[in-house]
């Protein structure tokens, strides 16, 4: 297996990784970016993007990712379609083992993102991007005046429901228990909102829709104890049952919080391990936007550049 050497390796092909690659390429560091199994990251599952600054009209998520990738490549970043399967951060050069090659570098930027958790229904693969979403801020406006459902009982579900209530005619929050785990202040806002209603103790067993055009028309729900089922007519479904940061690879080497997000030095992209930097959703459970991930990618590139300069 070939060994690829570089000053800096970027792991993850999403907004954070591509932005880091752009900055480091322009700094003359010839970065290598390993895309991972889903080049483009979560944005490849979004259709209309209306909140990435600089575009008057809606743009497509996959198109935006392609542009970022090309821009970084045009300035000299090298893209590798590979997936890192293990890392050794015991000392510099750091070693990252991919499926196709081994990588050695003096600095590493981790931008492996987070993956939304899904319900595990087979219809999810059909309707993702066609009425099914995990990001109300990204896709909520597409449901102006329509009826939508949010699945989940945590802070994410509460925030998604409140955001969607700005657009949708009605939001139904479906939870598998009769109590939410979301913060009390969020729960109060939900309970007092005239457009939000609740279906407790129910799980989704089927997403119902049409094939041509691909669109959701309803959800089949099942009561958790009696097992009785009902169909809820909705045009939009937002699954908010949590995200999993893609950090398993790094747990031996870097600190993580209770939810698995990587912990870094405050107000910086640095970690407790000099030369290892983090950016984007892999460390950020709060904002989780393409633009914030891109900003953090920029920060990590500037921090890595400074580190390389001084080492
Ligand atoms: P979470 O707190 O883990 O909540 C997930 C919710 O989804 C739970 O209510 C859970 O039900 C439900 N759920 C999980 N798997 C399910 C399944 N297969 N089917 C149906 N329901 C399922 O996740 P989160 O809301 O994304 O929050 C993750 C972390 O980020 C938390 O620490 C949260 O506080 C933080 N966060 C913070 C903010 C903020 O500070 N503004 C915003 C968003 C998230 P049960 O309750 O029955 O387990």
């Amino acid at each position: 297996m070939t060994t690829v050497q570089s000053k800096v390796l970027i792991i993850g092909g999403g907004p954070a990784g591509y932005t880091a690659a752009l900055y480091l390429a322009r700094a003359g560091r010839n970065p290598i970016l390993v895309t991972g199994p889903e080049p483009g990251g979560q944005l490849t599952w979004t259709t209309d993007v209306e909140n990435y600054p600089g575009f008057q009209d809606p743009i497509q998520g996959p198109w935006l990712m392609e542009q970022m990738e090309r821009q970084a490549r045009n300035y000299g970043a090298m893209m590798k379609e590979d997936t890192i399967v293990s890392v050794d951060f015991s000392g510099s050069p750091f070693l990252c083992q991919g499926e196709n090659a081994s990588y050695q570098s003096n600095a590493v930027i981790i931008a492996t993102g987070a993956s939304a958790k899904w319900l595990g229904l087979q219809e999810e693969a059909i309707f993702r991007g066609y009425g099914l979403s995990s990001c109300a801020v990204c896709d909520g406006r597409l449901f102006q005046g329509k009826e939508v459902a949010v699945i989940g009982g945590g802070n994410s579900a509460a925030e998604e429901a409140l955001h969607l209530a700005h657009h949708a005619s009605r939001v139904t929050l479906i939870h598998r228990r009769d109590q939410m785990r979301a913060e009390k202040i969020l729960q109060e806002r939900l309970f007092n909102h005239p457009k939000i209603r609740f279906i407790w103790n129910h799980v989704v067993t089927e997403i119902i829709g049409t094939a041509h055009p691909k669109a959701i028309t309803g959800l089949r729900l099942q009561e958790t104890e009696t097992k009785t089922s009902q169909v809820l007519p909705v045009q939009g479904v937002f699954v908010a049952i949590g995200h999993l940061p893609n950090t398993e690879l790094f747990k031996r080497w870097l600190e993580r919080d209770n939810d698995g997000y990587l912990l870094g030095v405050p107000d910086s992209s640095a970690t407790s391990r000099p030369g290892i930097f983090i950016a984007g959703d892999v460390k950020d459970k709060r904002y989780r936007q393409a633009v914030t991930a891109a900003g953090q990618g920029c920060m990590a590139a500037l921090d890595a550049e400074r580190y390389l300069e001084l080492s």
Side-chain angles (χ1 to χ4, degrees):
M1 194 175 276
T2 52
T3 299
V4 184
Q5 291 180 328
S6 62
K7 283 281 177 212
V8 51
L9 182 79
I10 300 159
I11 310 177
Y18 289 142
T19 306
L22 170 66
Y23 272 74
L24 286 159
R26 292 191 70 254
R29 293 293 185 181
N30 303 317
I32 292 178
L33 183 150
V34 178
T35 58
E38 199 175 85
Q42 291 184 63
L43 268 186
T44 50
W45 293 103
T46 307
T47 47
D48 284 359
V49 177
E50 299 176 341
N51 56 7
Y52 199 86
F55 302 93
Q56 191 179 322
D57 297 318
I59 52 172
Q60 299 296 300
W63 176 86
L64 179 62
M65 289 299 91
E66 267 170 44
Q67 297 302 310
M68 284 195 194
E69 193 263 352
R70 279 190 207 165
Q71 187 182 13
R73 206 151 26 88
N74 283 348
Y75 285 98
M78 186 184 286
M79 306 296 167
K80 295 276 186 195
E81 280 197 21
D82 198 359
T83 298
I84 300 297
V85 291
S86 67
V87 299
D88 179 347
F89 291 163
S90 53
S92 181
F94 303 114
L95 309 176
C96 297
Q97 183 59 52
E99 284 173 355
N100 306 329
S102 304
Y103 303 86
Q104 283 189 2
S105 61
N106 302 98
V108 176
I109 294 176
I110 299 170
T112 45
S115 306
K117 286 196 226 164
W118 296 94
L119 297 167
L121 300 171
Q122 62 183 32
E123 304 84 41
E124 286 175 317
I126 301 169
F127 292 115
R128 264 172 90 176
Y130 296 89
L132 176 67
S133 170
S134 61
C135 178
V137 175
C138 318
D139 299 326
R141 254 176 65 88
L142 309 174
F143 297 91
Q144 206 73 34
K146 297 186 175 164
E147 298 212 8
V148 301
V150 174
I151 326 293
N155 275 349
S156 294
E159 288 192 342
E160 299 273 291
L162 288 166
H163 183 87
L164 286 163
H166 291 299
H167 305 291
S169 58
R170 184 159 70 170
V171 180
T172 304
L173 193 140
I174 299 155
H175 186 32
R176 63 184 177 182
R177 293 188 296 131
D178 64 357
Q179 272 187 351
M180 296 185 73
R181 64 170 67 222
E183 289 165 15
K184 288 284 173 267
I185 187 166
L186 288 175
Q187 292 196 35
E188 273 167 30
R189 277 185 218 152
L190 289 174
F191 296 147
N192 291 327
H193 202 295
K195 279 195 193 170
I196 299 174
R197 65 163 192 165
F198 302 83
I199 298 184
W200 303 108
N201 299 315
H202 277 75
V203 291
V204 179
T205 52
E206 185 186 349
I207 302 170
I208 305 164
T210 55
H212 305 289
K214 255 197 227 180
I216 292 175
T217 55
L219 286 178
R220 191 177 306 281
L221 307 177
Q222 189 181 61
E223 221 272 349
T224 47
E225 283 198 2
T226 61
K227 307 291 177 205
T228 49
S229 87
Q230 59 170 294
V231 172
L232 175 75
V234 285
Q235 289 94 57
V237 177
F238 288 78
V239 177
I241 60 172
H243 280 75
L244 283 179
N246 301 316
T247 58
E248 271 301 297
L249 272 183
F250 313 110
K251 66 180 179 192
R252 186 175 157 204
W253 307 100
L254 299 170
E255 287 172 74
R256 302 191 300 170
D257 72 7
N258 290 338
D259 298 316
Y261 289 82
L262 293 179
L263 290 170
V265 176
D267 298 324
S268 156
S269 67
T271 62
S272 54
R273 224 165 251 277
I276 308 290
F277 303 89
I278 52 180
D281 287 13
V282 76
K283 70 166 210 179
D284 170 22
K285 64 177 153 199
R286 183 159 177 201
Y287 299 107
R288 299 197 293 233
Q289 301 300 301
V291 67
T292 51
Q296 289 166 19
C298 162
M299 290 162 66
L302 296 177
D303 289 341
E305 168 61 7
R306 189 169 161 72
Y307 170 82
L308 292 170
E309 199 74 45
L310 298 176
S311 60

